[in-house]
Amino acid sequence: MRYNHVDLVSKHRLKPMTTCLATYPACSPTIRTVASEVDANAGGDIFGGWILGQMDIAGGICAYGYARAKVVTVGVNATSFHEPVFVGDEVSFFADIVQIGRTSITVRIDSWVLRAVGGEIRHVTEGVYTYVAIDADRHPIPIQSKEM
């Protein structure tokens, strides 16, 4: 997929957080993993913090892919948990750039599960994270308009 800076800024607009994606995305996930017992509470639900961490990794991969520079998380702007994730569920994280600033990239991340029991596919989490490109001295640097 090829990105153009102007196209990204004008084309990608964030959907309201109350609007869940109706269908599983046609593109490949940024990350795909299986939720395990070490990430669960006593009731068998996966900790929200584990999900947030995976979302942060997926968003960072997406931001780095565009910036081609080290990026750091500067904000978790919004997150909504729609349904629980259970031990054994296959979790897929999809990341999409929604805004590019001078030094920052804002990414929307959606999480979907393939249920271990029953095989149902569900949209479970969505969030918006902001990353800033930095140099070796950890100072913000401008994001260059690059194509991938």
Side-chain angles (χ1 to χ4, degrees):
M1 177 176 238
R2 299 179 67 80
Y3 292 103
N4 175 291
H5 179 77
V6 175
D7 290 342
L8 283 171
V9 173
S10 63
K11 177 181 161 189
H12 290 81
R13 292 292 173 239
L14 183 63
K15 298 173 188 169
M17 292 301 290
T18 56
T19 304
C20 295
L21 295 178
T23 59
Y24 189 84
C27 59
S28 297
T30 305
I31 297 175
R32 196 171 100 199
T33 188
V34 175
S36 67
E37 291 177 353
V38 299
D39 304 312
N41 61 28
D45 294 352
I46 299 301
F47 286 115
W50 179 83
I51 296 168
L52 292 172
Q54 297 299 307
M55 291 173 74
D56 191 17
I57 293 167
I61 290 168
C62 181
Y64 172 82
Y66 184 85
R68 291 293 181 212
K70 183 175 183 177
V71 294
V72 294
T73 308
V74 296
V76 177
N77 309 350
T79 302
S80 296
F81 293 88
H82 304 296
E83 295 188 28
V85 175
F86 304 112
V87 171
D89 285 351
E90 180 183 294
V91 190
S92 296
F93 299 89
F94 296 86
D96 190 28
I97 295 171
V98 294
Q99 185 175 356
I100 298 172
R102 193 178 72 76
T103 62
S104 66
I105 298 178
T106 302
V107 179
R108 177 187 172 116
I109 304 112
D110 288 277
S111 308
W112 289 75
V113 297
L114 172 61
R115 296 284 186 211
V117 176
E120 186 178 20
I121 296 173
R122 304 293 298 174
H123 184 220
V124 293
T125 313
E126 61 186 306
V128 179
Y129 289 55
T130 300
Y131 303 85
V132 168
I134 60 172
D135 62 17
D137 295 321
R138 304 191 63 78
H139 296 108
I141 57 173
I143 295 170
Q144 304 299 314
S145 178
K146 296 179 182 180
E147 294 189 36
M148 293 191 339

